Amino acid sequence: MVTVGRMMSRLQDQIKVAVKQLLNGTASQTLKMKAAAYAVLALFLLPQLVRGSSLRVGIFRRKERFAHELEQSQLLRTVVLATHSGSANSYDRAKMYFEEQLPLFRGAAANYHLHQYWQEAGSGIKSTKMGWYGLIGARIHGMARMYRADNKFDDFKVEKDKCVMYDFLTLNNLPICPLLGKWSTLESFVQDLRAGQAFQKGASMKTVFIKTCHLTQGSSASTRPLAVADYLDGKGPAVDKLATWLASKWTFRADDWERPWRADGNLLTDHLTPGIILQAPSTLTLNPETGKMQVCEIKVEVFWGRAYAGVITDIKTFGHGASVASRGIAALGHDERGVIEAFPDSFQHFVLSMDYLPKEGPGSWFNWIITEDHLRKCAWPLAERTARIMGIDAVRIDIFMIKGDPTGCVINENSLSDGMGYGHHMEFMSKLWAEPHITKAYKPYTNSKRIYEQTEKDVPGA
């Protein structure tokens, strides 16, 4: 096992050599890139080691974590931007986009009706420099504070409880994949499962999804695709395994152990009532680059009722990690259909250096999202409408897009504590979220309903 002292000593030696060459002007571009990598590595590792993290668990267990640290840390960004031109160019584009969009978002916020619940949840937002996770932490602390004071303030269920979330979407006639059944007890579902009744509404489908309502974090692995044919008669090993899996999930509780808001976040999720949903899948499209049918989901960030950008994790044939869609930059000649950027490889993801989706070759097939105008015609307005009904300052709305049907998108779910990566956009997204809280540049409102009970008629101006 490599000791902490030896690891840090080696890193210090490598950094000294790199910095010396950088200062005397003899560093090659390759050396500059290495220097940036060493600096990011050292600056990332130090706080982990101070907190007592064991190297034995694997420093690189989640290499995307370095990119997330870079998105959050001004110090790390400064190092990388000074040594990697691709990252610097990506940052300049993100800044240019923000500067074009800022007046539009300020105008949106000035006319936006913010529910009292989100005003209170955001009361801890005091600066535009808090960073993305700082803002989320402030929100979760605010929600937990209200819930501790009075458990009637359970508005967070509009996201944290999938059953409540889908009830809210259905109440407001927002498009979703059809629900095939909902159960409030494990016993009632297992009884229907073994009687061959649970899957009858999906009998004509090849695959459906089962979801446990009280688990929303991806790490909880609470959603599974199921081959319908294996469950129609209510017998066999697949049925037994499903019943066992559900029993384990029924007593499982989410744990935000990697997040600074762990105690507050766990308070909210610990008090959720378990439930089960069966849901039809989204429409799939044949991807000629892979020869496989696939879904295409965009996770849209909405601030003050206006969509800013969206992450797409389904573009697997070009780049590394998630791709980012935005409205585009008019000064660069982009039209209102928007643009998509991606990280060409793992190192570019590491330093947040993005390129536009290619016009030909691997990944180019996904240009249908832009050429068919899916963002402007459906993804942006659907996400915005949902946010307005929630009366919320910032929210992520996850939407399935369907090739050939640019107005037929449907909602998958939402998120109040988004951990997706948006590259250099993160710095500017944080400012868009925070500024109106500080200036109070919004229209407050309140009513007697919980957020998940609201309809458009309950929201002024919606």
Side-chain angles (χ1 to χ4, degrees):
M1 173 183 162
V2 179
T3 66
V4 168
R6 289 177 63 188
M7 172 67 83
M8 293 308 296
S9 178
R10 290 178 186 176
L11 284 173
Q12 289 172 353
D13 290 341
Q14 291 169 326
I15 291 169
K16 286 178 182 177
V17 172
V19 170
K20 183 177 180 179
Q21 290 182 287
L22 285 170
L23 292 176
N24 65 25
T26 61
S28 64
Q29 181 62 29
T30 299
L31 192 280
K32 289 179 181 179
M33 293 168 67
K34 287 183 178 179
Y38 290 147
V40 171
L41 182 61
L43 291 170
F44 173 79
L45 275 179
L46 186 57
Q48 308 303 314
L49 299 177
V50 170
R51 286 196 293 265
S53 300
S54 171
L55 292 181
R56 288 176 292 182
V57 301
I59 295 168
F60 298 101
R61 180 178 56 187
R62 284 188 62 204
K63 56 188 176 183
E64 289 83 2
R65 186 169 179 177
F66 291 97
H68 290 326
E69 290 288 329
L70 181 54
E71 289 169 336
Q72 299 298 310
S73 170
Q74 182 63 51
L75 177 60
L76 299 191
R77 281 200 303 274
T78 300
V79 172
V80 172
L81 293 177
T83 55
H84 191 277
S85 60
S87 186
N89 290 336
S90 295
Y91 181 86
D92 288 343
R93 290 196 302 272
K95 184 179 180 182
M96 186 182 299
Y97 178 60
F98 167 73
E99 290 172 345
E100 278 195 357
Q101 292 291 318
L102 181 57
L104 300 173
F105 277 84
R106 282 176 171 165
N111 293 292
Y112 191 73
H113 294 82
L114 183 67
H115 192 279
Q116 179 68 29
Y117 181 80
W118 306 118
Q119 296 171 50
E120 292 295 332
S123 62
I125 298 176
K126 303 297 185 182
S127 168
T128 59
K129 297 181 180 180
M130 290 177 65
W132 188 254
Y133 287 143
L135 295 173
I136 292 176
R139 165 183 275 179
I140 293 178
H141 179 70
M143 293 192 297
R145 174 175 47 79
M146 286 186 281
Y147 190 68
R148 287 188 180 100
D150 191 334
N151 62 16
K152 75 177 183 181
F153 293 111
D154 62 353
D155 304 55
F156 55 84
K157 288 181 179 179
V158 75
E159 181 254 345
K160 299 301 180 186
D161 185 323
K162 289 193 184 84
C163 288
V164 173
M165 177 193 71
Y166 283 118
D167 285 344
F168 166 76
L169 297 174
T170 301
L171 175 66
N172 285 283
N173 295 312
L174 292 163
I176 59 174
C177 296
L179 299 180
L180 307 174
K182 185 171 71 171
W183 293 262
S184 59
T185 68
L186 177 62
E187 292 76 16
S188 62
F189 176 81
V190 172
Q191 181 178 343
D192 287 349
L193 173 67
R194 296 197 181 281
Q197 298 175 357
F199 286 76
Q200 287 305 311
K201 288 185 178 180
S204 62
M205 302 174 186
K206 182 178 180 180
T207 302
V208 299
F209 284 85
I210 191 165
K211 302 180 178 184
T212 51
C213 294
H214 65 297
L215 301 173
T216 60
Q217 291 94 329
S219 60
S220 297
S222 62
T223 297
R224 276 191 174 185
L226 300 175
V228 174
D230 293 339
Y231 304 94
L232 287 176
D233 64 359
K235 302 175 182 178
V239 170
D240 295 335
K241 289 179 180 178
L242 179 58
T244 301
W245 178 76
L246 284 171
S248 68
K249 293 300 178 184
W250 202 261
T251 56
F252 184 84
R253 290 297 180 269
D255 182 8
D256 271 338
W257 66 274
E258 286 187 300
R259 306 299 192 190
W261 55 78
R262 180 182 187 179
D264 288 330
N266 287 357
L267 171 72
L268 304 180
T269 54
D270 283 350
H271 290 84
L272 296 176
T273 301
I276 297 170
I277 281 177
L278 280 184
Q279 188 174 27
S282 172
T283 301
L284 303 180
T285 304
L286 176 65
N287 182 344
E289 295 179 357
T290 62
K292 297 179 180 179
M293 302 294 289
Q294 74 160 81
V295 71
C296 191
E297 181 183 37
I298 182 169
K299 302 173 185 293
V300 181
E301 292 291 346
V302 183
F303 303 101
W304 308 102
R306 180 176 171 84
Y308 188 74
V311 158
I312 305 172
T313 59
D314 298 307
I315 301 179
K316 305 295 187 183
T317 51
F318 174 78
H320 179 85
S323 302
V324 179
S326 71
R327 295 175 178 272
I329 303 171
L332 297 181
H334 302 153
D335 63 36
E336 294 181 357
R337 294 176 300 174
V339 295
I340 298 175
E341 297 177 278
F343 305 105
D345 55 48
S346 59
F347 182 78
Q348 305 307 317
H349 184 217
F350 184 89
V351 296
L352 304 184
S353 176
M354 305 188 84
D355 283 342
Y356 292 115
L357 201 64
K359 298 298 183 183
E360 56 185 28
S364 60
W365 177 73
F366 289 91
N367 279 302
W368 60 263
I369 297 169
I370 303 301
T371 59
E372 294 183 2
D373 212 3
H374 284 258
L375 303 179
R376 182 173 57 172
K377 288 185 176 180
C378 200
W380 300 150
L382 178 56
E384 291 169 349
R385 180 187 170 210
T386 306
R388 286 194 297 270
I389 298 173
M390 294 173 70
I392 193 170
D393 46 349
V395 66
R396 194 189 82 202
I397 306 295
D398 300 350
I399 294 173
F400 291 128
M401 299 177 291
I402 304 167
K403 189 178 185 302
D405 188 5
T407 61
C409 62
V410 299
I411 296 173
N412 180 24
E413 56 189 18
N414 60 26
S415 177
L416 300 178
S417 51
D418 179 18
M420 299 299 298
Y422 289 81
H424 288 303
H425 290 289
M426 295 289 278
E427 173 186 343
F428 304 109
M429 288 164 52
S430 299
K431 293 178 180 178
L432 287 178
W433 182 358
E435 184 184 89
H437 276 289
I438 297 165
T439 63
K440 304 302 180 185
Y442 55 78
K443 296 180 178 181
Y445 82 97
T446 188
N447 57 38
S448 61
K449 293 187 175 182
R450 307 269 61 88
I451 296 298
Y452 51 78
E453 296 172 336
Q454 287 195 144
T455 63
E456 283 183 296
K457 66 180 182 180
D458 299 311
V459 184

